[in-house]
Amino acid sequence: MYVIKSQLILSGLLLTSSLPAYAVVDPLTPQSAEYQVNYGSIELGRARYQLPAPEGNIYHYRFDSDLSLLMLTDKRTIKSTFSFDGKKLTPMRYIQQRTGTGSDFSDQTAYVLDQKLVHSSYKDKRDKFPYTDDLYDPLSAQLQFRLDITAGAKTMHYDLLKSGKVDDYDFKVLGQERITLESGSYDTVKIEVVRESTKRQTFFWMAPQLAYLPVQLTHYEKGSKQLDIKLLNYQFEQNAIGQTRIKGSISEHLDAENGDTGNSDTGKENKTQQPTLESKVTSPEGTTDAKAETKPETEPEPGFKP
């Protein structure tokens, strides 16, 4: 079912407004981000990513989603544990738990680096794969992607182990683009998933000022928009000792752009503080609603879309 397949795009996955000049973050800064997922003009539900502060050089990245369409439901919790040597992520363990309409299942991988092997358990199938430096799980690949593009990469290649098999994915930078969502306008870098055919196209937009956090992902089939995923809110938290937390919303940033700075003393104080950035988007009616254009006829290719 499409509601189930769209989960794979998210989990395999995806702003800038007038943020303060001191708001400097990197892709491994502790963070969280929530997205709205639309199937055609129908909202399927929400997805959330969380990256807490590391334990030494060990990180734990988590994805949760809850999607539904009519009587169909799909809930997933996905966790990735990896290490970081200052340049490259090394996956250690990956686990996905899926419940909902149809059969429940789990997908687990364990990376045994000293043996150069990866153990996989998907549903009732167990297997072993050789470990290579460009092999990732779907979650750690997202963060490695952000690290690589931060370092200036224009084309990227990754092998992903998921669902008991290895698939390769290629991406290329198309250029810069300013896009407007209900939450505001953002300067972004546009990325395309490289495929041999143009019948299936996937694009996503990432915000350099927020460490290339994905702002939007859109998938097309035969030129018709099928899936739209848009950022609803985010939070970055600097974890250095002694830093002061600063919170703000997009509406406050827009007020600042328009010259409404509020209390001038507060504004001066904020210039000396280190940031925790938080943005929450609410429509005038009090809800968040991002609409796609057309109902999909076929399913997008499952896999990693950062």
Side-chain angles (χ1 to χ4, degrees), residues 165-180:
K165 62 181 181 178
V166 176
D167 292 318
D168 63 300
Y169 290 87
D170 291 280
F171 306 86
K172 66 178 180 181
V173 175
L174 297 181
Q176 298 180 348
E177 185 172 325
R178 186 168 178 83
I179 66 171
T180 299

Side-chain angles (χ1 to χ4, degrees), residues 193-205:
V193 180
V194 178
R195 297 189 177 97
E196 293 182 0
S197 173
T198 59
K199 292 182 179 179
R200 299 160 61 82
Q201 293 180 298
T202 305
F203 303 97
F204 46 97
W205 292 259

Side-chain angles (χ1 to χ4, degrees), residues 86-100:
K87 183 179 179 180
K88 182 183 181 300
L89 306 183
T90 300
M92 300 171 62
R93 185 169 180 82
Y94 170 86
I95 181 169
Q96 174 182 181
Q97 298 286 350
R98 185 269 176 191
T99 61

Side-chain angles (χ1 to χ4, degrees), residues 272-292:
T272 63
Q273 296 173 325
Q274 296 299 318
T276 286
L277 305 179
E278 183 175 275
S279 173
K280 295 184 178 180
V281 184
T282 306
S283 71
E285 293 77 20
T287 61
T288 53
D289 184 22
K291 295 185 177 180

Side-chain angles (χ1 to χ4, degrees), residues 249-300:
S249 66
I250 283 183
S251 61
E252 291 170 347
H253 295 318
L254 294 179
D255 287 342
E257 258 188 346
N258 294 330
D260 182 6
T261 58
N263 188 308
S264 59
D265 293 335
T266 301
K268 293 177 181 177
E269 179 184 353
N270 284 352
K271 292 182 180 179
T272 63
Q273 296 173 325
Q274 296 299 318
T276 286
L277 305 179
E278 183 175 275
S279 173
K280 295 184 178 180
V281 184
T282 306
S283 71
E285 293 77 20
T287 61
T288 53
D289 184 22
K291 295 185 177 180
E293 297 173 358
T294 59
K295 184 175 180 180
E297 298 175 356
T298 58
E299 299 173 353

Side-chain angles (χ1 to χ4, degrees), residues 237-244:
E237 182 171 348
Q238 301 288 13
N239 60 354
I241 296 175
Q243 291 181 327
T244 303

Side-chain angles (χ1 to χ4, degrees), residues 187-238:
D187 294 320
T188 69
V189 172
K190 185 177 181 180
I191 313 291
E192 181 180 9
V193 180
V194 178
R195 297 189 177 97
E196 293 182 0
S197 173
T198 59
K199 292 182 179 179
R200 299 160 61 82
Q201 293 180 298
T202 305
F203 303 97
F204 46 97
W205 292 259
M206 309 177 80
Q209 193 173 352
L210 290 184
Y212 290 93
L213 182 71
V215 175
Q216 182 177 6
L217 180 148
T218 303
H219 178 78
Y220 295 87
E221 296 278 350
K222 299 179 180 179
S224 177
K225 184 186 293 185
Q226 306 291 292
L227 185 69
D228 222 12
I229 303 171
K230 298 181 180 180
L231 183 66
L232 291 177
N233 58 72
Y234 68 90
Q235 178 171 315
F236 285 88
E237 182 171 348
Q238 301 288 13

